[in-house]
Amino acid sequence: MSDQNNEPLQIDTMSPYVLMSHILEKLRLLNYTQSLPALSATPLTPFYFISSSTASSSSNRSEQFKVFVMILSWLLRDYLKVPVREFDLYMEDPLSVSTEVVDALQNLNLSVNHEHLSPMKLRSGSGQSVLNILYAVLDLVLRQQNFTFGKLIYPKNIEYVEDEENVEDDDENNIIDDTYGMNQDGDDEDEEYMTYYTETAGPEATGAPLAEDDELLENQVDPEEWALELEQVESQLVLRLQPDHKDWRYHVDSMIQKHGIISENYEFTSKSLTKLSDEISKVVDRIKKRESMLSQDHSLHSLLGQYKNNQDKLEKVTKTYKDTEENIGNLSNELNTINQELHEVKARLDQLSKQMGDTTPLQEIKKSQVAIKKEIREMDLRAGVLQHKLLQAKQKSMRAMSAENSRAMRDAAYSDLAF
């Protein structure tokens, strides 16, 4: 690697598109599709990590972050021998994963400004910081692998024939040819190309014998294997270009297309509108004639007067009907309220009558009275037993006291006799 690629300022001044192209080249040198099978089905595009809007249509911001962490973990673990754990990119927080990645990169001697080693800048999975870190890590990996890019060698036998005037006017000619179809110089360009081809193609174009170094290469690839490989990568070789709506050529083509559609439909539409206008004018004329006839008929005035009187009567009857209907509604509401109160009173009377005719409380009182009497008898019996026990205890105590008194008197008498 050259020393210029190791300087942070040199990386910061590079265009994001150039950085991404270098990253893809270095990843292809490391054969990333075999080491990362998850990326073999959907390989990276030349604009993948530039921003969130330049990823493929099926990817999003979280997918860019997952791919970035997957590639960086693979490089750190397999090539730089940095202990990095397997991240669960579907369940873990992107900010915590970015923090661990930054901690792992701090110990490496990367040619990146420290401002790019920020978890907040890496959690998006795209942008200048992501490109700088990937470029610097890949640069370090290739340097450890003792890989260097050689200088570009141009073949000396290639001749370039260019017409300065044609080169200067190339854009204008292309615009005029694309817009108006002016291809008058097509034959001249073909002749110049054929002349250049015959001059620079070599002996095989002029029929001269081939040298040993210029012999045709024979194809040693099996056609079936080649067809199978082509089917596998066919979907990746398709380039879908979306039309740029800001391009003036697109506007011109759109105007020409719409002008053709309008020209095709103009005649039919104009005839239909003319016919419709004639029919409308005839109908308006008939209406005007009918209005003039009705205005001149005197019998119609009397009928209109009767209609007006009947209309007034109808309004009065309608008003009376509405008032009566409103009164009926109010009375119906009052009737519903009275019926509801009557239903509640009947329910209370039924409940009271049931309570008055129910002898269950009296029976419960009698049962309670019998139980109380039984308990009183048991208590009297217990009281008698206790009184009997107390009397026996009292008698025992009295006997003991009398025995002690007699013993004391006997002892006193003996003592008197002794003296």
Side-chain angles (χ1 to χ4, degrees):
M1 286 281 177
S2 62
D3 295 336
Q4 292 180 352
N5 293 335
N6 297 331
E7 298 179 0
L9 295 176
Q10 185 70 17
I11 298 177
D12 291 336
T13 56
M14 294 175 66
S15 172
Y17 299 96
V18 176
L19 278 175
M20 189 63 204
S21 64
H22 288 326
I23 289 169
L24 278 179
E25 288 179 1
K26 294 175 181 179
L27 286 173
R28 292 191 187 102
L29 290 174
L30 297 175
N31 201 2
Y32 75 101
T33 55
Q34 290 187 359
S35 301
L36 298 174
L39 299 180
S40 61
T42 57
L44 301 179
T45 62
F47 314 100
Y48 193 83
F49 290 117
I50 294 176
S51 65
S52 59
S53 60
T54 55
S56 61
S57 60
S58 61
S59 61
N60 49 26
R61 185 175 181 178
S62 62
E63 184 180 348
Q64 285 178 300
F65 178 74
K66 293 172 186 176
V67 174
F68 166 67
V69 174
M70 192 185 306
I71 295 174
L72 202 58
S73 302
W74 166 61
L75 294 174
L76 294 175
R77 190 183 304 109
D78 293 352
Y79 290 98
L80 301 179
K81 307 303 179 183
V82 177
V84 180
R85 67 180 181 87
E86 292 288 342
F87 297 105
D88 188 0
L89 300 176
Y90 292 94
M91 300 299 294
E92 295 187 24
D93 184 21
L95 186 59
S96 63
V97 175
S98 301
T99 305
E100 293 188 22
V101 170
V102 171
D103 294 338
L105 295 174
Q106 292 289 348
N107 300 325
L108 300 176
N109 187 16
L110 297 178
S111 58
V112 179
N113 289 329
H114 292 287
E115 61 181 12
H116 296 301
L117 295 174
S118 173
M120 296 300 295
K121 293 183 178 180
L122 299 182
R123 65 178 296 182
S124 62
S126 61
Q128 188 68 32
S129 299
V130 172
L131 292 172
N132 288 9
I133 289 174
L134 283 175
Y135 184 88
V137 172
L138 287 168
D139 189 9
L140 182 60
V141 169
L142 292 177
R143 277 191 283 123
Q144 288 189 359
Q145 298 293 324
N146 296 325
F147 179 84
T148 56
F149 287 99
K151 293 184 179 180
L152 188 62
I153 300 174
Y154 296 95
K156 296 181 179 180
N157 57 351
I158 295 180
E159 298 179 2
Y160 296 94
V161 179
E162 294 181 353
D163 190 356
E164 295 180 358
E165 295 181 357
N166 292 336
V167 171
E168 292 177 356
D169 299 338
D170 186 37
D171 295 336
E172 296 181 0
N173 292 333
N174 289 335
I175 294 172
I176 296 173
D177 292 342
D178 292 339
T179 309
Y180 300 101
M182 297 177 66
N183 295 323
Q184 296 179 357
D185 298 335
D187 297 336
D188 298 336
E189 293 178 357
D190 293 340
E191 291 178 359
E192 292 177 0
Y193 174 74
M194 292 301 295
T195 302
Y196 169 74
Y197 180 76
T198 54
E199 292 176 356
T200 60
E204 65 274 9
T206 57
L210 296 174
E212 293 182 358
D213 296 338
D214 297 333
E215 291 181 356
L216 294 176
L217 297 177
E218 295 183 1
N219 189 4
Q220 303 294 334
V221 180
D222 188 5
E224 295 181 357
E225 294 180 358
W226 178 261
L228 182 61
E229 183 70 20
L230 184 61
E231 290 179 0
Q232 293 177 357
V233 300
E234 185 178 3
S235 59
Q236 303 175 13
L237 299 177
V238 177
L239 180 62
R240 297 179 177 86
L241 297 177
Q242 297 181 356
D244 186 6
H245 297 283
K246 295 182 180 180
D247 188 8
W248 66 270
R249 296 183 184 87
Y250 177 81
H251 290 290
V252 170
D253 294 338
S254 178
M255 291 169 60
I256 294 172
Q257 184 180 4
K258 292 179 180 178
H259 181 269
I261 295 172
I262 293 171
S263 301
E264 292 177 358
N265 298 330
Y266 174 75
E267 185 176 359
F268 175 75
T269 306
S270 61
K271 290 181 179 179
S272 301
L273 292 176
T274 304
K275 185 177 179 181
L276 184 61
S277 176
D278 295 338
E279 292 178 356
I280 292 172
S281 60
K282 291 179 182 179
V283 172
V284 170
D285 293 338
R286 291 177 184 175
I287 292 172
K288 289 181 179 179
K289 290 180 182 179
R290 185 58 58 86
E291 286 179 352
S292 62
M293 291 174 61
L294 293 175
S295 62
Q296 294 177 1
D297 191 357
H298 297 287
S299 60
L300 184 62
H301 293 289
S302 60
L303 294 174
L304 291 174
Q306 293 178 3
Y307 174 75
K308 187 176 181 181
N309 294 330
N310 293 332
Q311 190 72 22
D312 295 337
K313 291 179 181 180
L314 179 61
E315 290 179 357
K316 292 179 181 180
V317 172
T318 304
K319 185 178 181 181
T320 305
Y321 171 75
K322 288 182 179 180
D323 295 338
T324 305
E325 188 177 7
E326 185 177 359
N327 190 13
I328 291 172
N330 294 330
L331 294 175
S332 299
N333 292 332
E334 292 179 0
L335 180 61
N336 292 331
T337 304
I338 293 170
N339 289 331
Q340 187 176 1
E341 293 177 356
L342 179 61
H343 181 70
E344 292 178 356
V345 170
K346 286 182 178 180
R348 290 178 184 176
L349 290 175
D350 293 338
Q351 187 177 2
L352 290 174
S353 62
K354 288 180 181 179
Q355 291 178 356
M356 291 174 66
D358 191 7
T359 59
T360 303
L362 183 60
Q363 293 177 359
E364 291 179 355
I365 291 171
K366 288 180 179 181
K367 290 180 181 179
S368 301
Q369 187 177 5
V370 172
I372 290 170
K373 287 180 179 181
K374 185 178 179 180
E375 290 179 358
I376 290 171
R377 285 195 299 269
E378 292 177 355
M379 292 297 291
D380 291 340
L381 181 60
R382 290 179 181 178
V385 172
L386 290 173
Q387 288 178 0
H388 179 68
K389 289 182 178 181
L390 289 172
L391 183 60
Q392 287 181 352
K394 188 175 182 181
Q395 288 177 356
K396 286 181 180 180
S397 62
M398 289 177 68
R399 290 173 183 171
M401 290 177 65
S402 62
E404 290 179 358
N405 290 331
S406 62
R407 189 182 299 110
M409 289 175 67
R410 192 180 300 115
D411 293 339
Y414 288 152
S415 64
D416 290 340
L417 291 175
F419 288 113

